Amino acid sequence: MSNYCVDLKSLVPVDNAHGFGKKLVFKKNDELDNSLTQIAIGVFQPDESCEEHMHPTMFEYFYFLNGEGTYRVGGEDIKIYNGLLLEIPAGVLHSLHNEGIDELRFLYWGVAI
């Protein structure tokens, strides 16, 4: 396969850094020559949650592919739906909860500042 492509089917699920859910990592920070911190697909099973946390030196972006849930960002609850793109600014508290009966799947990446 070309160095320009990653086949999702070839990726092995690994634990998320916050101790919840799984992710399929396309590229990690040490494989990138830019300010991206990671590019991955996250998968939360029904009722899985991520505790409230923040990243002081990173913006995060989430594009939701499947499922339902709530993303709490800076004290505001945002309903998740397929096709939603969400930006989490650096230094803002956030948490995520899968409230549906299906997997919650999302493409996400971070940008260091």
Side-chain angles (χ1 to χ4, degrees):
M1 178 169 278
S2 168
N3 289 334
Y4 300 109
C5 302
V6 177
D7 184 346
L8 183 62
K9 292 177 285 219
S10 71
L11 300 177
V12 176
V14 295
D15 290 333
N16 188 300
H18 298 288
F20 59 88
K22 296 286 184 186
K23 63 184 175 181
L24 302 167
V25 179
F26 291 103
K27 291 281 186 178
K28 296 180 285 190
N29 180 268
D30 60 353
E31 299 171 326
L32 298 164
D33 294 326
N34 56 46
S35 60
L36 287 174
T37 61
Q38 173 180 257
I39 304 170
I41 290 196
V43 180
F44 279 28
Q45 298 303 317
D47 207 36
E48 274 192 311
S49 294
C50 164
E51 76 284 350
E52 191 170 60
H53 65 283
M54 71 165 180
H55 308 282
T57 60
M58 179 177 68
F59 274 63
E60 282 187 299
Y61 296 87
F62 293 81
Y63 180 73
F64 293 93
L65 304 166
N66 186 63
E68 300 174 359
T70 298
Y71 218 124
R72 186 165 183 78
V73 181
E76 177 184 350
D77 289 336
I78 299 169
K79 285 295 182 188
I80 295 166
Y81 57 88
N82 301 351
L84 175 69
L85 177 64
L86 182 61
E87 176 185 68
I88 312 290
V92 174
L93 288 171
H94 56 282
S95 62
L96 173 61
H97 180 70
N98 179 353
E99 298 170 341
I101 60 171
D102 297 316
E103 283 185 340
L104 178 62
R105 294 177 69 87
F106 48 93
L107 175 66
Y108 70 110
W109 59 99
V111 179
I113 57 169

